[in-house]
Amino acid sequence: MTDSTPVPLGATAPGGIPDQPDPAGGVGRAGRRLAGEVAFAVVSAALGVYAIIGAGFIRVPPGSASVLGPRAFPYAVGVLLVAASVAVVVQIARGRRGVPDDGEDVDPDAPTDWLTVAKLVAIFLSQLVLIEWAGWPIAVAVVFAGAAIVLGARRCWMALLIGLGLGLVTQLVFGAWLGLSLPAGPLLDWIPIFHG
C-alpha cells in the first residue's frame, strides 16, 4: 500500500527521488505534471461551461411530449464536467496530485504510426457520408468496429455487433425518448420507434 500524503514541490517523493529542476532551468517533471493537471481542469471546466451555455440555445419544438427534452443531456454533461474540474482543482490545492503509472506499457520514444492515424481519421470522416446515406445506427457500427479493428481487435464480428448495438440504443434514446431527429437510414426507416 502506498502513502498518499501530499508531497510539496521540490521535496523528496515516497520513491526517494527528489524533484530536480531541468538542466535548462525549468521547474522539473513534477512542475510540468502540475501544470498539465491545472490545464486539464481549466479546459474541462471551459468545455462544461460551453456545453451548458450551448444547451440553452437548443430549440425545443413547441408542444414536445418528451419528458426530458433535448437540453437535458447537454446540461448534465456540462454540469458533470464543471463539477469534475472543481474537484480536480480542490485536490491540486490540497497538494494531492496524480501519480504517473510506472507499469504502463507505453514507449515514449516509439515513432508515431501514421498509417493507423490516417485509418482512424478516414473512419471518422466516413461519418459525414454514412449518417445521411446509411443512417445513424449503421454509421455508429462502422465507426466503432472500424476503430476497434484498426486498434487491434481480434474478433471483428464482435466489434461490429457491439457497434450496431450502441447505434440502435442511442437511436432509441435520442430519437424516441429525447425527441431528437437522428436519421434512421433506409434499413430502419420503416420502423416508427426509431423516429423522433
Side-chain angles (χ1 to χ4, degrees):
M1 186 168 175
T2 59
D3 184 15
S4 62
T5 56
V7 178
L9 190 61
T12 302
I17 302 171
D19 177 39
Q20 298 291 334
D22 287 340
V27 294
R29 285 178 290 175
R32 284 195 302 272
R33 197 167 58 239
L34 177 65
E37 291 183 20
V38 171
F40 170 78
V42 169
V43 170
S44 297
L47 288 172
V49 170
Y50 176 78
I52 292 169
I53 293 172
F57 288 101
I58 295 176
R59 189 171 49 88
V60 179
S64 177
S66 175
V67 176
L68 295 175
R71 294 179 180 174
F73 187 72
Y75 277 138
V77 170
V79 168
L80 286 174
L81 277 171
V82 172
S85 302
V86 170
V88 169
V89 170
V90 168
Q91 292 299 316
I92 291 171
R94 294 176 65 187
R96 296 176 185 251
R97 297 189 302 273
V99 179
D101 184 8
D102 293 332
E104 192 170 336
D105 188 20
V106 175
D107 182 7
D109 299 322
T112 302
D113 184 359
W114 290 109
L115 179 60
T116 299
V117 172
K119 289 177 183 177
L120 289 172
V121 168
I123 289 167
F124 283 107
L125 288 178
S126 72
Q127 302 305 290
L128 297 173
V129 175
L130 286 177
I131 288 176
E132 288 297 326
W133 179 70
W136 174 260
I138 303 298
V140 170
V142 168
V143 76
F144 183 89
I149 291 166
V150 167
L151 294 175
R154 289 189 177 92
R155 293 185 287 180
C156 302
W157 62 270
M158 181 64 78
L160 191 57
L161 284 178
I162 292 172
L164 187 58
L166 287 172
L168 291 172
V169 168
T170 53
Q171 180 78 23
L172 283 173
V173 169
F174 286 94
W177 297 339
L178 295 179
L180 298 179
S181 179
L182 293 175
L187 294 177
L188 302 171
D189 205 26
W190 55 275
I191 304 174
I193 196 171
F194 287 112
H195 295 286

